[in-house]
Amino acid sequence: MYQVTATRRRPQTFDALLGQEFVSATLKKSIESNKIAHAYLFSGPRGCGKTSTARILAKSLNCVNGPTASPCGVCDSCIQITNGSSFDVIEIDGASNTGVDDVRKLKDEILFPPHSARYKVYIIDEVHMLSTNAFNALLKTIEEPPPYVIFIFATTELHKVPATIKSRCQQFNFKLVDIEVLKDALAQAADEIGIQADDEALYWIAREGTGSVRDSYTLFDQVAAFSVDHISLEKIQDKLGLTGIEIINDIVLACMNKNANAALSILHECLNNGVSVEQFCIDCAKYFRTLLLVKHGITKESILGQSASRFSLEVIQTWNSVQVERALAIMLQLFKDIHLSVNPTYELELAISRLSLLSDYVPPNELKIAYEKLKELFSSKPLENNNNDIKMQSGQSIHAMSKKMSQEHNETINRTDTPQTYSPKTETSYDTVDDIPPPEVYEGQFESFSEANNFSSQLHTQSPKTEYSAEIIRTPTIDEIKHTIIEEFTKGEPVLATSLTETFDWEKDNDTIIIKAKKRFHQDTIKAQIHKIKEKIARILHSPSILIEVQLVDLPEKITSDDKTPVEIKNLMRKFQAQLVDVIDISEPTSEQEETELA
C-alpha cells in the first residue's frame, strides 16, 4: 500500500530527527540518567517533528529494553506505538477536546494504571486550543500526576499556553530545519523510490518548504508525481506555472538596455502562457533577492536557492547593488499594490516600465560623494572654460566680478566728465576722413559691446559733421560676441543663457554665425529663441542681414583633460553625458564678502 513520504520517512529514533540536535541530545541524556519529567511541552513551527519526538519518547520509556535512549522498534510495545494502537499511549487532539468535561474524563482515566506498558503517556497535540477552564482543570493533575503517567503537550503557538501550564512542564523549542538538511533528506527520498532529481530542483523544493520537513515531503510527492522519472527545475516551473529564470533574465536585460518595448512584449508572452501576475511578482522578487545576494558575494546554493551560474553575466555586471535593491523594492511594493488595484496587469506593466528607467538612477550617496570630490577639486586649483578667454578662481562669484567691472568703468568715466570724443585741432588738416584718428578708448571702459555701441551713437550725435563715428569701434571677435550675448540673456532669459553657455566655440562664415550645441535640449532651446539672438547680434555687428545656424555636435570622447579628476565625478559626468566647464558660485554674497572679493 502506498504511503506518502512524510509518513514513510517519519523518524523512529532520536538520531533520525532532522535539525533538532538539542532536543534529541537532552532527552537522550535525561533517559540515560533516569531523570524523567512528568510533563513535557514541545513548541515550534509545523512539521518540525514535535509529535514524532513525543512518540519516540513514549517508545523509549515503554520499550522492553527500556527505559532506553535507543528503543529497539521490534518489540510489541514499540510496534504498537508506531502503529498508533497502543492502549497505554493515548494521543488527544486538543482542537477537538477543548472543554472542561473532556479534561474531567481524562482525570478519571489516569487513575487506572497502564495496561501492559511501563508508563501511561498522554500526547495532547495543539494544546493551546484548550479553553481556560480546561487548562485550570489540568493544573493539579499536571503538577502531581500518578508516578506512571507522563504528559507530553505539543503546540505551534506557545504564547497561547498559560504561564501556569508552562511552569509545570519541561519546555523544548523546535526550530526550522536548515535547507541543506532538507535537500539531503529529499535526495534520500528520491533514491528510495528510484527517481532521479537535480540538485537545483531539490533546493527549490526545500526552500519552498520554508524549513518544514512535512511541507517539503508533501511538495516532493506532488513534484515526483508529474516528473515521472526525473525531477528538474524546468519541469517544476512549467507544470506549476512559475516564471523561468531565463525569461526573467531576458526581461531584466531589456530593462537594463532601456528597452521597455521588448521587456513588455516578453512579459505579455509569459502571462499568455498561464503565469499569474501574483506569481510573476513573487518570482521576480525572488530573482532580485538572489541577484542582490550574488552582488554581495554570496554564492552558497543553499542560501541562493539555485546556482549563481543561471544568472546572465551581463545582468550581474550592469546594475550595481543599489539599483538591484531598488528593483527588489519595486517588486515588493507591487505585491502589496496588486491586491487593491483596478487591474493587477496594469500595476505589473507600470513596474516593468519603472525598471526600464532604473539604469539612469543615481543613488543619493553617489551624488554626495561626487559633490565632496568636486569641492576638493575646485578648492585645489582654478579651472578654465573651453574658450580659454575667461578665468575665474574657485569661489569667486559672477556678482562680485560684474561689480568689480562696473567699479572700474565708473572710475574711468570719473576721469572725464564727458565721453572721450575726438576734437580736431584747427592747425591740422586731413585729406580724407580715413586719415582722421579715432578717439581714444580705454581698455576695460565698457562692460559689454552694447555699451560700446551706445558710446558710438553718442559720438555720432555730438559730432554730426563727422562721418567716421561708425568706424571708431573695432569689430568684435566671435568669442566676444558670444560672451556679450550670454551676459545680456543672463538676467532675463537664464535658461537660454545656460544653453548658450553649454555650446562649443562659435564660428562665423561670411554673414552666417554657426552655433554648435552639445545636447538636443540646448539646440531646441536656442532655436526657439533664435530671433532674439539674431536681433542682438545684428545690433552688435550693425548688420541686419546676419544669419544664425544651430548645429548639434556630439560630445568629445574625452570629457575632461584633467587626469586628476576623481573617478566619482567622471562616473557622474558619463551617466549624465556632462562636461566639466567651469566652477561658478551662484550664491549672493553679503556686503562683507563683496568687499573682501573686490579687494
Side-chain angles (χ1 to χ4, degrees), residues 292-315:
L292 183 61
L293 294 178
V294 173
K295 295 289 290 186
H296 286 302
I298 298 175
T299 58
K300 191 176 181 181
E301 197 167 340
S302 60
I303 299 177
L304 300 179
Q306 55 191 338
S307 175
S309 61
R310 296 179 67 89
F311 288 88
S312 170
L313 185 61
E314 185 177 355
V315 170

Side-chain angles (χ1 to χ4, degrees), residues 43 51 230 238 249 294 330-331 355 397 472 527 554 556 562:
S43 62
T51 305
H230 183 199
D238 180 55
N249 268 333
V294 173
I330 290 175
M331 285 301 161
L355 289 179
S397 66
I472 64 174
K527 282 186 175 181
D554 294 334
D562 186 3

Side-chain angles (χ1 to χ4, degrees), residues 225-241:
F226 62 70
S227 298
V228 188
D229 57 350
H230 183 199
I231 300 176
S232 64
L233 188 59
E234 288 75 13
K235 289 182 179 179
I236 294 174
Q237 293 171 345
D238 180 55
K239 298 297 182 180
L240 297 183

Side-chain angles (χ1 to χ4, degrees), residues 7-261:
T7 302
R8 187 180 72 252
R9 292 185 55 81
R10 182 185 289 274
Q12 302 299 325
T13 63
F14 288 116
D15 294 333
L17 284 173
L18 297 179
Q20 312 300 335
E21 290 78 9
F22 168 76
V23 175
S24 59
T26 304
L27 291 177
K28 287 169 66 176
K29 289 292 183 181
S30 63
I31 294 173
E32 291 172 354
S33 60
N34 200 26
K35 296 180 179 179
I36 303 169
H38 54 267
Y40 295 91
L41 177 59
F42 296 161
S43 62
R46 67 182 186 278
C48 292
K50 298 184 294 296
T51 305
S52 297
T53 303
R55 291 181 179 179
I56 296 171
L57 179 59
K59 285 196 293 183
S60 299
L61 296 176
N62 290 328
C63 180
V64 68
N65 299 324
T68 175
S70 301
C72 66
V74 294
C75 65
D76 292 340
S77 179
C78 289
I79 293 175
Q80 290 174 1
I81 294 174
T82 301
N83 296 333
S85 58
S86 175
F87 290 103
D88 297 320
V89 177
I90 303 98
E91 295 190 26
I92 301 174
D93 181 14
S96 303
N97 301 273
T98 60
V100 66
D101 293 336
D102 299 317
V103 174
R104 288 173 179 170
K105 181 179 178 182
L106 184 148
K107 292 174 65 177
D108 294 339
E109 289 180 358
I110 65 174
L111 298 177
F112 298 96
H115 182 267
S116 59
R118 189 176 294 108
Y119 289 96
K120 200 169 188 178
V121 181
Y122 286 90
I123 302 175
I124 304 179
D125 200 7
E126 301 299 332
V127 69
H128 64 274
M129 299 294 290
L130 295 181
S131 65
T132 303
N133 291 333
F135 275 123
N136 292 335
L138 270 177
L139 290 178
K140 188 64 176 178
T141 304
I142 295 175
E143 187 173 6
E144 296 179 358
Y148 50 81
V149 173
I150 303 292
F151 286 101
I152 303 176
F153 303 130
T155 178
T156 55
E157 300 185 43
L158 181 62
H159 60 282
K160 293 185 178 181
V161 179
T164 51
I165 298 293
K166 295 178 184 178
S167 63
R168 289 166 168 81
C169 303
Q170 282 193 10
Q171 299 182 43
F172 291 88
N173 186 28
F174 288 67
K175 61 181 182 179
L176 293 172
V177 183
D178 186 75
I179 292 179
E180 285 283 359
V181 177
L182 287 176
K183 183 260 179 184
D184 293 339
L186 292 172
Q188 294 175 8
D191 291 338
E192 290 176 359
I193 61 177
I195 188 172
Q196 184 180 357
D198 295 341
D199 285 346
E200 282 186 337
L202 296 180
Y203 273 123
W204 182 86
I205 296 173
R207 191 177 71 250
E208 291 298 313
T210 62
S212 171
V213 181
R214 183 171 61 239
D215 290 358
S216 299
Y217 282 149
T218 302
L219 183 56
F220 171 81
D221 288 338
Q222 181 181 359
V223 171
F226 62 70
S227 298
V228 188
D229 57 350
H230 183 199
I231 300 176
S232 64
L233 188 59
E234 288 75 13
K235 289 182 179 179
I236 294 174
Q237 293 171 345
D238 180 55
K239 298 297 182 180
L240 297 183
L242 308 179
T243 310
I245 189 171
E246 292 79 10
I247 296 177
I248 302 180
N249 268 333
D250 294 339
I251 293 176
V252 174
L253 278 174
C255 292
M256 288 180 174
N257 295 325
K258 304 179 184 179
N259 191 350
N261 186 6

Side-chain angles (χ1 to χ4, degrees), residues 526-580:
I526 295 171
K527 282 186 175 181
Q529 304 288 341
I530 198 169
H531 63 283
K532 296 183 180 180
I533 303 172
K534 181 178 179 181
E535 179 183 347
K536 291 185 180 295
I537 295 178
R539 189 177 71 249
I540 293 174
L541 297 177
H542 298 282
S543 176
S545 61
I546 196 72
L547 299 176
I548 299 177
E549 180 181 345
V550 184
Q551 299 178 354
L552 181 63
V553 181
D554 294 334
L555 280 173
E557 293 183 1
K558 189 173 182 180
I559 295 177
T560 175
S561 60
D562 186 3
D563 293 334
K564 296 183 179 179
T565 303
V567 65
E568 293 84 358
I569 299 176
K570 290 182 178 180
N571 292 337
L572 203 63
M573 292 162 63
R574 187 179 302 108
K575 184 177 291 292
F576 288 103
Q577 296 182 348
Q579 186 177 20
L580 188 59

Side-chain angles (χ1 to χ4, degrees), residues 507-522:
E507 296 179 0
K508 189 173 185 299
D509 184 9
N510 295 327
D511 290 336
T512 303
I513 292 180
I514 302 174
I515 300 176
K516 298 179 179 180
K518 301 176 182 178
K519 296 182 180 180
R520 178 72 63 183
F521 171 76
H522 298 150

Side-chain angles (χ1 to χ4, degrees), residues 282-296:
I282 294 173
D283 294 337
C284 282
K286 292 179 180 178
Y287 177 93
F288 287 121
R289 174 258 182 189
T290 306
L291 182 59
L292 183 61
L293 294 178
V294 173
K295 295 289 290 186
H296 286 302

